[in-house]
Amino acid sequence: MKHILSVLVNDTPGVVTRVSALFSKRNYNIKSFVGCETHIPGTSTLIIVVYGDDEIIEQITKQLRKLIDVIEVSDITQKKHVSRELVLIRVKADTKVRSEIIQIVDIFRANIVDFQNSSLMIEATGDEDKIDALVEALKSFEILEIVKTGEISMVRKNV
């Protein structure tokens, strides 16, 4: 089962290494790992997406809470949340296929962010299914490069 862990940490050197080492010691593969500053000075949020059974994720969550610089750990998988990924895709696009690619970009509400003589760079944000569908739609053209951010998530709540 897919789990999304939101980990609030002090923004100190080595914290990412200690968190990722915890997963490594348990031979647990991380699907995506995104870290970013928060609105609270001196803190960062790590969004970690992993696949595993509930028991192992609970053990990892407990171990995370014991780490120095970890302030809060939350498995938001079952909570109402919004998740997004960002992807950049470079596609070979000569003049013969350029209009077809632009139509696909419009359908997925993506953007062309770089235009070269023989290629286009496309930017898209959305959930994993949307990003996967866009990549699939562009496979009939020659995809030259793909870079994805990994998933970021935030719990929905009234404040």
Side-chain angles (χ1 to χ4, degrees):
M1 178 181 169
K2 177 181 169 182
H3 288 267
I4 304 168
L5 303 178
S6 177
V7 184
L8 180 66
V9 298
N10 290 318
D11 191 12
T12 57
V15 69
V16 170
T17 301
R18 288 189 291 278
V19 169
S20 63
L22 194 144
F23 285 86
S24 178
K25 286 178 187 172
R26 283 158 181 74
N27 200 25
Y28 229 67
N29 195 27
I30 296 172
K31 181 177 184 285
S32 73
F33 190 108
V34 178
C36 57
E37 294 179 352
T38 70
H39 66 289
I40 304 167
T43 65
S44 295
T45 295
L46 307 175
I47 302 295
I48 306 167
V49 179
V50 294
Y51 287 93
D53 63 42
D54 293 343
E55 185 177 319
I56 291 175
I57 299 300
E58 185 178 330
Q59 288 175 350
I60 289 174
T61 301
K62 287 178 181 175
Q63 293 298 315
L64 283 171
R65 288 187 177 117
K66 293 179 182 177
L67 291 178
I68 295 172
D69 292 321
V70 171
I71 300 166
E72 183 179 325
V73 180
S74 180
D75 184 349
I76 65 172
T77 309
Q78 300 300 323
K79 297 177 182 174
K80 289 184 178 181
H81 63 276
V82 176
S83 291
R84 294 288 184 265
E85 291 183 2
L86 168 68
V87 65
L88 295 173
I89 307 167
R90 186 183 324 277
V91 181
K92 189 172 184 177
D94 59 27
T95 54
K96 296 176 189 169
V97 297
R98 198 163 276 168
S99 64
E100 288 179 68
I101 293 171
I102 291 170
Q103 286 178 338
I104 291 170
V105 167
D106 289 342
I107 289 168
F108 284 91
R109 294 187 207 150
N111 299 304
I112 295 172
V113 293
D114 187 45
F115 186 94
Q116 300 294 321
N117 288 338
S118 61
S119 68
L120 298 172
M121 186 187 304
I122 299 161
E123 168 200 58
T125 58
D127 62 25
E128 186 176 14
D129 290 342
K130 175 186 172 183
I131 301 299
D132 289 346
L134 174 61
V135 171
E136 191 63 34
L138 292 171
K139 279 185 177 175
S140 60
F141 307 95
E142 186 177 348
I143 294 177
L144 302 171
E145 189 176 2
I146 296 177
V147 179
K148 292 169 77 173
T149 60
E151 187 171 325
I152 61 169
S153 301
M154 183 180 280
V155 173
R156 292 178 176 221
K157 58 184 170 185
N158 286 328
V159 179

